[in-house]
Amino acid sequence: MNSAFANTWAITKRELSSYFASPVAYVFIVIFLLMTGFFTFMAGGFFQRGEASLTSFFLWHPWLYLFLVPAVGMRLWSEERRLGTLELLLTMPVTAAQAIIGKFLASWLFLALSLALTFPVWFTVNYLGTPDNGVIIAGYVGSLLLAGAYLAITCMTSALTRNQVIAFILSVVICLFLILAGWPPVMDFLTSVGAPGLKDFVARLSVMTHFESFQRGVLDFRNVLYFASVIGFCLFTTGVIIRTHRAG
Amino acid sequence: MKNRKQLETVLYSGLGVLVMLVIAVALNAIFAGARLRADLTEDQAFTLSEGTKRILGRLDTPVQVRFYFSASAPDMDPALKTYAQRVQDLLNEFRALSNGKLEIKKFDPSPDSDAEDSANVDGIQGQQIQPPFGDPIYFGLAVSSLDNRAVIPFISPQRERLLEYDLARAIAQVSRPSKPVLGVMSGLPIFGGMDPMAMMRGGGQRSEPWIFVSELKADYEVREIPVTAEKVDDDVNLLVVVYPKGVTEATQFAMDQFVLRGGKLIAFLDPLSIMDARSAMGGNPLQAAAGSGATLDRLVKAWGYDFDLNKVVSDKQFQTELFDPRTQQPRANPSFLSLSGRGFDTNDVVTSQLGRVTLPFTGWFDGSAAEGLKATTLFRSSPDSQLTDKMMAQFGATEEFKASGKEHPLAVRLAGRFKTAFPDGRPVAPGDTNAPAGEVLKEGKADSVVVLVGDSDLLHEQNFARIQELFGQRIMLPFAANLTFLQNVIEQLTGDPDLIGIRSRATQMRPFTKVREMQAEAEIRYESKIRELEKSLQDTQQKLNEIQRAKADVSQQAILSDEQQQEILRFQQERAKVNQELKAVRKQLRQDVDRLENTLKWANIVGMAFLVTAAGLVIAFVKRQRTAAR
């Protein structure tokens, strides 16, 4: 069991160091920070709201992650496939599962780091007033899980193709679908198609409901389960896809 | 052969994916009803409180909750649907704690369905959420037990934090055996009565009862108790005292014993009652004012407080604009308070959702709760307040205002085990040989609650509502929450004591205190300057008016003298200049705050990003150095 963790961790480290070897990581972090900052203070009306909370900060995450997370994850498997190093990776004394989880963890940790670097906004809001810090913590947890879910989806699409751009676009589309699942026009469409049962199911798929639940300050098992299911399912599917390619 | 194996593998894996999907969905569905969560909010807003658990555990008769929600309405707002789910979750939790006594029935009132009829019978109206199209949406509930019924006509998402309280209260209300008995005592004719002023005016002899009395009669059994009563009946649950002018020691003793028996008391005292002054029989208004004021001196003192009948609290932050008949202009009267926001205890159920309460000429409570009692300040003045002599306040004199910096408590609630205010026992009137028998309590048999309010005028409808006569009905249109406050307090005191314990989950206002502080400081700095400028503006305007008037008087002379024309021009210029200065000062007020906001904004947006860039460059440089060709 120990070796399993050790292997996974080795992969994670390898992946992470490759991130920071190139300027891409820094560029990504800078862009992420600039955009969250911009949206929070300008578009989100942080000061206009007049309330000491990070609502205007978390509000944008589903939409920012929509583009930024696929950008991080698209190269995860596409690159290996393109360079032909996929087979090499899988011949090492490392199981496919360990490789998948290892790479996923690396990217997730990277995203976690980017998220953590937004701490000045937390300081700011505490300086200006007395926010409910428990609610903020729950917000960060929700945001991290959301990023993880998008990332898992991107892993999946990235394993499907050699072309990073296609992986990116596919991932954006799927994530967008998850965001819009609960959206009234979509709901209306489903009603008109005459599938009320399907409508309920689709509504529960929506990432927004689960994300917003964290914003209230509650860590609900059901919401965590949702994100865990998405991550679990996508990583499993990634494994299936890779095995298929390997067999081919 | 190899191809087939390949196909098999793919199929198997493809099937595997499908199976995984089904498992994932099923897992989520299985746990859809699970209530496993960590509430990280500061005030535990999403965790059931002890009070609720006790109320539910105590139920001995079956209670039925009928929950109406138009779940199948096609235009349903998903946010509302999510909230409805949370409401149902809460109901389920309630049921789990009720030992099977709570039954929940869910209805989906689509148009013309039986469910809709049931909703209407329960008094729940559909709301037009999305006008003009769309059927009305039902989102309410009715709680009933035996013959009692309590209804929440619309479960507003804005009231989410009070949802647990609303539900628990409805359940407590219906499981209560009988309507509470309110004893109401007053030194004013609140039940209607002989009104000497009305007599003089030539109107009828009787004056109308105050509207709040009729409102209370709708929900409670109301009993009039004279100001000279010697005993409060045992079956009175709550005593409401309004301006106890003429109260005797014997009556105060009766009230003391009533509280010690566990009875609850709300007393509206007042240093200056407008209604009292009004009904004074002609005579010297000054004398009337001096003689007005009512308190329960012995009781208030024993409970740890001093209520000064000669002072009124004036407050610059909560002053009200009233029409001044002398100058025919609206004028701010700092002794007529319109309390809002921070003047309330935002955490207490009673005051958390009040918008505005008007307190005309209110007194205050100086002191702290006596031993064994816990005090909660329900109303307080701002620090920009001072004590004004009531005579000065009544005649509108507001010369020197000096902010005391103290938040004067205007209404307090005392809870706990009370001790008697009459340690020497029943007060014996001179010449009274027959002392009535009866047990005399020295200390409370049970915990009790007393609410003391420093004003009584707030209860008269002229201070909180407009009355409209419509088809013979008197319709009350409130513009302040005075009556709501009274109803909240009464409900809190006559309802289940556990309801008082349910923490109020008021929507906590968390403003930018730093910004507010800076604004307040700036205002103080510039206030005198602004006042100076405004005064000079007023003077200039007045002079201008005088000249115009002079012009009009001497209308025979169609031509103005040169001098007069010059004067007019001068004053107009002066006025323009002062206006400019005023604008500049006002702009400066915001400057500090704006500067802070900008700094923070840019620091946040660019700061961290800049640091990361710098870090990246440093790392790259270091690496370059290390791997540089030697």
Side-chain angles (χ1 to χ4, degrees), chain B residues 444-492:
Chain B
K445 274 202 301 204
D447 280 359
S448 183
V449 184
V450 167
V451 174
L452 297 172
V453 183
D455 181 58
S456 64
D457 292 309
L458 78 152
L459 292 177
H460 192 273
E461 54 268 21
Q462 77 176 24
N463 295 315
F464 66 84
R466 278 198 328 268
I467 315 292
Q468 254 183 0
E469 296 267 0
L470 213 59
F471 310 124
Q473 285 248 358
R474 294 180 80 196
I475 312 241
M476 190 180 65
L477 302 165
F479 56 76
N482 301 15
L483 183 59
T484 311
F485 167 67
L486 175 67
Q487 287 168 324
N488 282 351
V489 176
I490 292 181
E491 203 175 73
Q492 194 188 42

Coordinates of all heavy atoms in Angstrom, one line a residue, chain B residues 444-492:
Chain B
G444 N -38.8 35.2 43.6 CA -39.6 34.6 42.6 C -39.7 33.1 42.7 O -38.8 32.4 43.1
K445 N -40.9 32.6 42.5 CA -41.2 31.1 42.6 C -40.6 30.5 41.3 O -40.2 29.3 41.3 CB -42.7 30.8 42.7 CG -43.2 30.8 44.1 CD -44.5 30.1 44.2 CE -45.6 30.6 43.3 NZ -47.0 30.2 43.8
A446 N -40.6 31.3 40.3 CA -40.1 30.8 39.0 C -39.4 31.9 38.3 O -39.5 33.1 38.7 CB -41.3 30.3 38.2
D447 N -38.7 31.6 37.3 CA -38.1 32.6 36.5 C -39.1 33.5 35.8 O -40.2 33.0 35.5 CB -37.2 32.0 35.4 CG -35.8 31.6 36.0 OD1 -35.6 31.8 37.2 OD2 -35.0 31.0 35.2
S448 N -38.8 34.7 35.6 CA -39.8 35.5 34.9 C -39.1 36.5 34.0 O -37.9 36.6 34.0 CB -40.7 36.3 35.9 OG -41.7 37.0 35.2
V449 N -39.9 37.3 33.2 CA -39.3 38.2 32.3 C -40.1 39.5 32.4 O -41.3 39.6 32.5 CB -39.4 37.7 30.8 CG1 -38.8 38.7 29.9 CG2 -38.9 36.3 30.7
V450 N -39.3 40.6 32.4 CA -40.0 42.0 32.5 C -39.3 42.8 31.4 O -38.1 42.8 31.2 CB -39.7 42.7 33.8 CG1 -40.1 44.1 33.8 CG2 -40.5 42.0 35.0
V451 N -40.2 43.5 30.6 CA -39.7 44.4 29.6 C -40.0 45.8 30.0 O -41.2 46.1 30.3 CB -40.3 44.1 28.2 CG1 -39.8 45.1 27.2 CG2 -39.8 42.7 27.8
L452 N -39.0 46.7 30.0 CA -39.3 48.1 30.4 C -39.0 49.0 29.2 O -37.9 48.9 28.6 CB -38.4 48.5 31.5 CG -38.6 47.8 32.9 CD1 -37.4 48.1 33.8 CD2 -39.9 48.1 33.5
V453 N -40.0 49.8 28.8 CA -39.8 50.7 27.7 C -39.9 52.1 28.1 O -40.8 52.4 29.0 CB -40.8 50.4 26.6 CG1 -40.6 51.3 25.4 CG2 -40.8 48.9 26.2
G454 N -39.1 53.0 27.7 CA -39.1 54.4 28.2 C -40.1 55.3 27.6 O -40.0 56.5 27.8
D455 N -41.0 54.8 26.7 CA -42.0 55.7 26.1 C -43.3 55.0 26.0 O -43.3 53.8 25.9 CB -41.5 56.1 24.7 CG -42.4 57.1 24.0 OD1 -42.7 58.1 24.6 OD2 -42.9 56.7 23.0
S456 N -44.4 55.8 26.1 CA -45.7 55.1 26.0 C -46.4 55.7 24.8 O -47.4 55.0 24.3 CB -46.6 55.4 27.2 OG -46.8 56.8 27.4
D457 N -46.0 56.8 24.2 CA -46.7 57.4 23.1 C -46.6 56.5 21.8 O -47.4 56.6 20.9 CB -46.2 58.8 22.8 CG -46.5 59.8 23.9 OD1 -47.7 59.8 24.2 OD2 -45.6 60.5 24.4
L458 N -45.5 55.6 21.8 CA -45.3 54.8 20.6 C -46.5 53.9 20.4 O -46.7 53.4 19.3 CB -44.0 54.0 20.7 CG -44.1 52.8 21.6 CD1 -43.1 51.8 21.0 CD2 -43.7 53.1 23.0
L459 N -47.3 53.7 21.4 CA -48.4 52.8 21.2 C -49.7 53.4 20.6 O -50.6 52.7 20.2 CB -48.9 52.2 22.6 CG -47.8 51.2 23.2 CD1 -48.3 50.8 24.6 CD2 -47.6 50.1 22.3
H460 N -49.7 54.7 20.5 CA -50.8 55.4 19.9 C -50.7 55.4 18.4 O -49.6 55.7 17.9 CB -51.1 56.8 20.4 CG -52.4 57.3 20.1 ND1 -52.6 58.0 18.9 CD2 -53.6 57.3 20.7 CE1 -53.9 58.4 18.8 NE2 -54.5 57.9 19.9
E461 N -51.8 55.1 17.7 CA -51.7 54.9 16.3 C -51.2 56.1 15.5 O -50.7 56.0 14.4 CB -53.1 54.4 15.7 CG -54.2 55.3 16.0 CD -54.9 54.9 17.3 OE1 -54.3 54.2 18.1 OE2 -56.1 55.3 17.5
Q462 N -51.4 57.3 16.1 CA -50.9 58.5 15.3 C -49.4 58.5 15.1 O -48.9 59.1 14.2 CB -51.3 59.8 16.0 CG -50.5 60.1 17.2 CD -50.8 61.4 17.8 OE1 -51.9 61.9 17.7 NE2 -49.8 62.0 18.5
N463 N -48.7 57.7 15.9 CA -47.3 57.6 15.8 C -46.8 56.5 15.0 O -45.5 56.3 14.8 CB -46.7 57.6 17.2 CG -46.9 58.9 17.9 OD1 -46.8 60.0 17.4 ND2 -47.4 58.8 19.2
F464 N -47.7 55.6 14.5 CA -47.1 54.5 13.7 C -48.0 54.1 12.5 O -47.6 53.3 11.7 CB -46.8 53.3 14.5 CG -48.0 52.6 15.1 CD1 -48.8 51.7 14.4 CD2 -48.4 52.9 16.4 CE1 -49.9 51.1 14.9 CE2 -49.5 52.3 17.0 CZ -50.2 51.3 16.3
A465 N -49.2 54.7 12.4 CA -50.0 54.3 11.2 C -50.9 55.4 10.7 O -51.3 56.3 11.4 CB -50.8 53.1 11.6
R466 N -51.3 55.2 9.5 CA -52.3 56.1 8.9 C -53.6 55.3 8.9 O -53.6 54.1 8.5 CB -51.9 56.5 7.5 CG -51.0 57.6 7.4 CD -50.9 58.3 6.0 NE -51.2 57.4 4.9 CZ -50.3 56.8 4.2 NH1 -49.0 56.9 4.6 NH2 -50.6 56.0 3.2
I467 N -54.7 55.9 9.4 CA -55.9 55.2 9.4 C -56.8 55.7 8.2 O -57.0 56.8 8.0 CB -56.7 55.5 10.7 CG1 -55.8 55.4 11.9 CG2 -57.9 54.5 10.8 CD1 -55.3 54.0 12.2
Q468 N -57.2 54.7 7.5 CA -58.1 55.0 6.3 C -59.5 54.4 6.5 O -59.6 53.3 7.0 CB -57.5 54.4 5.1 CG -56.9 55.4 4.1 CD -56.4 54.8 2.9 OE1 -56.5 53.6 2.7 NE2 -55.8 55.6 2.0
E469 N -60.5 55.2 6.2 CA -61.8 54.7 6.3 C -62.2 54.2 4.9 O -62.3 55.0 4.0 CB -62.8 55.8 6.8 CG -62.5 56.4 8.1 CD -63.4 55.6 9.2 OE1 -64.2 54.7 8.8 OE2 -63.3 56.0 10.4
L470 N -62.5 52.9 4.9 CA -62.8 52.4 3.6 C -64.0 51.4 3.8 O -63.9 50.4 4.4 CB -61.6 51.6 3.0 CG -61.4 51.6 1.5 CD1 -61.2 53.0 1.0 CD2 -60.2 50.8 1.2
F471 N -65.1 51.8 3.1 CA -66.3 51.0 3.2 C -66.7 50.7 4.7 O -67.0 49.6 5.0 CB -66.2 49.6 2.5 CG -65.7 49.8 1.1 CD1 -64.5 49.1 0.7 CD2 -66.3 50.6 0.2 CE1 -64.1 49.2 -0.6 CE2 -65.9 50.7 -1.1 CZ -64.7 50.0 -1.5
G472 N -66.6 51.7 5.5 CA -67.0 51.5 6.9 C -66.0 50.8 7.7 O -66.1 50.6 8.9
Q473 N -64.9 50.4 7.1 CA -63.8 49.7 7.8 C -62.7 50.6 8.1 O -62.3 51.4 7.2 CB -63.3 48.5 6.9 CG -64.2 47.3 6.8 CD -63.6 46.1 7.6 OE1 -62.5 46.2 8.1 NE2 -64.4 45.1 7.6
R474 N -62.1 50.5 9.3 CA -60.9 51.3 9.5 C -59.7 50.5 9.1 O -59.4 49.4 9.7 CB -60.8 51.7 11.0 CG -62.0 52.6 11.4 CD -61.9 52.9 12.9 NE -60.9 54.0 13.1 CZ -60.4 54.3 14.3 NH1 -60.8 53.6 15.3 NH2 -59.6 55.3 14.4
I475 N -59.0 50.9 8.1 CA -57.9 50.2 7.6 C -56.6 50.9 8.2 O -56.5 52.1 8.1 CB -57.8 50.2 6.1 CG1 -59.1 49.8 5.5 CG2 -56.7 49.3 5.6 CD1 -59.2 48.6 4.7
M476 N -55.7 50.1 8.7 CA -54.5 50.6 9.4 C -53.3 50.4 8.4 O -53.0 49.3 8.0 CB -54.3 49.9 10.7 CG -53.2 50.5 11.5 SD -52.9 49.6 13.0 CE -52.3 48.1 12.4
L477 N -52.7 51.5 8.0 CA -51.6 51.4 7.2 C -50.3 51.9 7.9 O -50.1 53.1 8.1 CB -51.8 52.4 5.9 CG -53.0 52.1 5.1 CD1 -53.3 53.2 4.2 CD2 -52.8 50.8 4.3
P478 N -49.6 50.9 8.4 CA -48.5 51.3 9.3 C -47.3 51.9 8.5 O -47.0 51.5 7.4 CB -48.0 50.0 9.9 CG -48.8 48.9 9.3 CD -49.7 49.5 8.2
F479 N -46.7 53.0 9.1 CA -45.5 53.5 8.5 C -44.3 53.3 9.5 O -43.2 53.7 9.2 CB -45.7 55.0 8.2 CG -46.1 55.9 9.3 CD1 -45.2 56.3 10.3 CD2 -47.4 56.4 9.4 CE1 -45.6 57.1 11.4 CE2 -47.8 57.2 10.4 CZ -46.9 57.6 11.4
A480 N -44.6 52.7 10.6 CA -43.5 52.4 11.6 C -43.9 51.1 12.2 O -45.1 50.7 12.3 CB -43.3 53.5 12.6
A481 N -42.9 50.4 12.8 CA -43.1 49.0 13.3 C -43.4 49.0 14.8 O -43.2 48.0 15.5 CB -41.9 48.2 13.0
N482 N -44.0 50.1 15.3 CA -44.3 50.1 16.8 C -45.2 49.0 17.2 O -44.9 48.3 18.2 CB -45.0 51.4 17.1 CG -44.1 52.6 16.8 OD1 -43.2 52.5 16.0 ND2 -44.5 53.8 17.3
L483 N -46.3 48.8 16.5 CA -47.2 47.7 16.9 C -46.6 46.3 16.7 O -46.7 45.5 17.6 CB -48.5 47.8 16.0 CG -49.6 46.8 16.4 CD1 -50.0 47.0 17.8 CD2 -50.8 46.9 15.4
T484 N -45.8 46.2 15.7 CA -45.0 44.9 15.5 C -44.2 44.6 16.7 O -44.1 43.5 17.2 CB -44.2 45.0 14.2 OG1 -44.9 45.5 13.2 CG2 -43.6 43.6 13.9
F485 N -43.5 45.6 17.2 CA -42.6 45.5 18.3 C -43.4 45.0 19.5 O -43.1 44.0 20.2 CB -42.0 46.8 18.7 CG -41.3 46.8 20.0 CD1 -40.2 46.0 20.3 CD2 -41.8 47.6 21.1 CE1 -39.6 46.0 21.5 CE2 -41.2 47.6 22.3 CZ -40.1 46.8 22.6
L486 N -44.6 45.6 19.8 CA -45.4 45.2 20.9 C -45.9 43.7 20.7 O -45.8 42.9 21.6 CB -46.7 46.1 21.0 CG -47.7 45.7 22.1 CD1 -47.1 45.8 23.4 CD2 -49.0 46.4 21.9
Q487 N -46.3 43.4 19.5 CA -46.8 42.0 19.3 C -45.6 41.0 19.4 O -45.8 40.0 20.0 CB -47.4 41.9 17.8 CG -48.7 42.6 17.8 CD -49.2 42.8 16.3 OE1 -48.4 43.0 15.4 NE2 -50.5 42.6 16.2
N488 N -44.4 41.4 19.0 CA -43.3 40.5 19.1 C -43.0 40.2 20.6 O -42.8 39.1 21.0 CB -42.0 41.1 18.5 CG -42.0 41.0 17.0 OD1 -42.9 40.3 16.4 ND2 -41.1 41.6 16.3
V489 N -43.0 41.3 21.4 CA -42.7 41.2 22.8 C -43.7 40.3 23.5 O -43.4 39.4 24.2 CB -42.6 42.5 23.5 CG1 -42.3 42.3 25.0 CG2 -41.5 43.4 22.9
I490 N -45.0 40.6 23.2 CA -46.0 39.8 23.9 C -45.9 38.4 23.5 O -46.0 37.5 24.3 CB -47.4 40.4 23.5 CG1 -47.6 41.8 24.0 CG2 -48.5 39.4 24.0 CD1 -49.0 42.4 23.7
E491 N -45.7 38.1 22.2 CA -45.6 36.8 21.8 C -44.5 36.0 22.4 O -44.6 34.9 22.8 CB -45.4 36.8 20.3 CG -45.8 35.5 19.6 CD -45.7 35.7 18.2 OE1 -44.5 35.7 17.8 OE2 -46.7 35.9 17.5
Q492 N -43.4 36.8 22.5 CA -42.2 36.2 23.1 C -42.4 35.8 24.6 O -42.0 34.8 25.1 CB -41.0 37.2 23.0 CG -39.7 36.5 23.3 CD -38.6 37.5 23.4 OE1 -38.8 38.6 24.0 NE2 -37.4 37.2 22.8

